[in-house]
Amino acid sequence: MLTWVNETYKTPREAPLFRIQLVGLEKSPDSKGGLFALAPEVLLSDIERTDLIVLPAIHSEFQQSLEDNRELNPWLVKHYKQGAEIVSLCISSFFLASTGLLDGKPCSTHWASANVFRELFPKVDLVDEKIVTEYDGIYTSGGAYAFTNLIIYIIEKYAGREAAILAAKTFMIDIDRSSQSPFMVFAGQRSHNDKKVLKAQDYLERHYHEKISVNDLSEMVSLGRRTFERRFKKATMNSVLEYHQRVRVEAAKRQLEGGRKTVNEVMYEVGYNDAKAFRDVFKKYTDMTPVEYSSKYTSRIFS
C-alpha cells in the first residue's frame, strides 16, 4: 500500500514519499515452517536513523518470539527516543509492550488476545475495541486485517486525505471503520485458578437467560458479596454484571446469525423484556444494534 502511494504520486523531480526497507536481525532468518522465505535488505545495525518503524504481526508463540528477537527491544527504544514513530500491527503489540514504550499509553491488539495482554502488561491502557490507536508517535491496530485501516491512517498522515481516500477505494477498505467490537467473540476469561469464580462463571453461562443477582452468586460460592465481586473482577476482567451481559449478548449474536428468529424472539430468549435495554446493552458490546447485526451476519444464500 505504501509502494502504491509512491507509484501513484511519483513526480520526475521529487523522490518517492516512502523509502521502504525490510530490516532484520540477520540476512537469512529461519521462517520456521512459513509458506515463503523473507530476505531482509539490511540489518538493524545498518540503520542509523529512521522516521517510521512498522512491526508486523507475530504468528509464533509470543514468549519464544520475544526470546528469538530480544535484540530488537533496545533498538526500538533507541530509535523512538531519536524521534522515530512506531507502528504495531495486530499482536506485535505484545512485542512493543515488552519494551515499556506502551506503559501509560492507549493500545489495541487482537480482541482474542486482550485478556492475556492485560495480564502481562497491566501498565498499558488496552482499548481492545478500537481498530486504531495513536498516542505520542506510537500507532497500534486491532486484529488481523485491521492493519489495513492503520496503514490508511498512516497514508493520510504522511500523504494527505486525498491520497488516503484514493488508497481506501483502490484497496476496497472501509475508511470509516473504527471499532472491532462487531467481530469480537466473548468466550469468558478462564485462564485463572479461582475455583469459586469458575463455579460462578459456569452458572452464569448455563443460566444466562435467568435473572441472577450478585447476592445469589456470592451465597452459592460461599463468599461475602464484596469479596466475591473483587475476586470475580480480578479473575475475569469484568464485573459480575458485565459478565452476565456479555454472555447474554453472545448468545443473542449466535441466535441472530442463525436467521430463524426475530430480534424480539431472541431478546426474550436471552432474558430481556425491555427492547430499549436489550438494544442498549447489545450495542454497548458490539457497536451495532441487534437489527444491524442481524442484517449483517444472518445466514443467507448468494445467487
Side-chain angles (χ1 to χ4, degrees), residues 112-129:
S113 301
N115 285 332
V116 176
F117 187 97
R118 286 190 177 95
E119 290 178 0
L120 291 174
F121 308 109
K123 294 181 180 179
V124 180
D125 178 17
L126 184 65
V127 282
D128 52 312
E129 74 278 5

Side-chain angles (χ1 to χ4, degrees), residues 214 218 223-231:
V214 177
S218 61
L223 288 173
R225 174 171 176 150
R226 292 181 63 181
T227 299
F228 171 66
E229 288 182 307
R230 176 179 51 79
R231 283 171 57 169

Side-chain angles (χ1 to χ4, degrees), residues 70-276:
R70 61 186 178 279
E71 295 174 47
L72 182 58
N73 275 24
W75 186 86
L76 287 171
V77 173
K78 169 190 169 184
H79 283 280
Y80 180 70
K81 288 181 177 179
Q82 288 179 351
E85 297 191 315
I86 301 177
V87 175
S88 162
L89 306 182
C90 194
I91 60 172
S92 64
S93 55
F94 280 72
F95 211 108
L96 186 55
S98 70
T99 67
L101 292 176
L102 279 174
D103 288 358
K105 298 182 177 71
C107 167
S108 187
T109 193
H110 197 295
W111 57 263
S113 301
N115 285 332
V116 176
F117 187 97
R118 286 190 177 95
E119 290 178 0
L120 291 174
F121 308 109
K123 294 181 180 179
V124 180
D125 178 17
L126 184 65
V127 282
D128 52 312
E129 74 278 5
K130 294 290 186 182
I131 291 285
V132 170
T133 68
E134 174 192 3
Y135 187 86
D136 202 17
I138 291 180
Y139 309 81
T140 67
S141 69
Y145 288 97
F147 85 87
T148 58
N149 289 90
L150 179 49
I151 299 302
I152 290 293
Y153 189 84
I154 295 297
I155 289 172
E156 180 170 357
K157 177 168 183 177
Y158 283 89
R161 179 70 174 173
E162 178 186 333
I165 292 173
L166 185 56
K169 290 181 176 180
T170 300
F171 291 96
M172 300 178 68
I173 297 165
D174 183 357
I175 197 172
D176 293 323
R177 191 171 60 149
S178 61
S179 172
Q180 58 178 340
S181 294
F183 307 101
M184 291 181 175
V185 177
F186 182 66
Q189 163 59 294
R190 293 177 166 274
S191 59
H192 59 86
N193 296 312
D194 192 323
K195 293 183 179 179
K196 293 196 173 186
V197 171
L198 286 169
K199 182 178 179 181
Q201 287 176 264
D202 288 338
Y203 188 87
L204 284 168
E205 289 165 15
R206 290 197 312 269
H207 303 274
Y208 62 84
H209 55 284
E210 300 175 6
K211 186 175 180 179
I212 304 171
S213 73
V214 177
N215 284 334
D216 291 340
L217 283 174
S218 61
E219 288 179 10
M220 183 184 73
V221 298
S222 303
L223 288 173
R225 174 171 176 150
R226 292 181 63 181
T227 299
F228 171 66
E229 288 182 307
R230 176 179 51 79
R231 283 171 57 169
F232 194 97
K233 182 68 178 284
K234 180 181 179 181
T236 69
M237 311 295 176
N238 291 274
S239 69
V240 178
L241 175 61
E242 289 169 341
Y243 198 93
H244 195 192
Q245 288 176 337
R246 296 188 72 171
V247 170
R248 282 179 162 181
V249 168
E250 199 60 38
K253 285 163 61 179
R254 290 195 298 270
Q255 293 195 36
L256 290 172
E257 289 161 11
R260 298 182 182 87
K261 298 174 182 175
T262 67
V263 169
N264 279 343
E265 287 174 329
V266 170
M267 175 186 73
Y268 290 124
E269 291 202 14
V270 299
Y272 286 93
N273 295 310
D274 184 298
K276 184 180 184 304

Side-chain angles (χ1 to χ4, degrees), residues 8 44 171:
T8 303
L44 294 182
F171 291 96

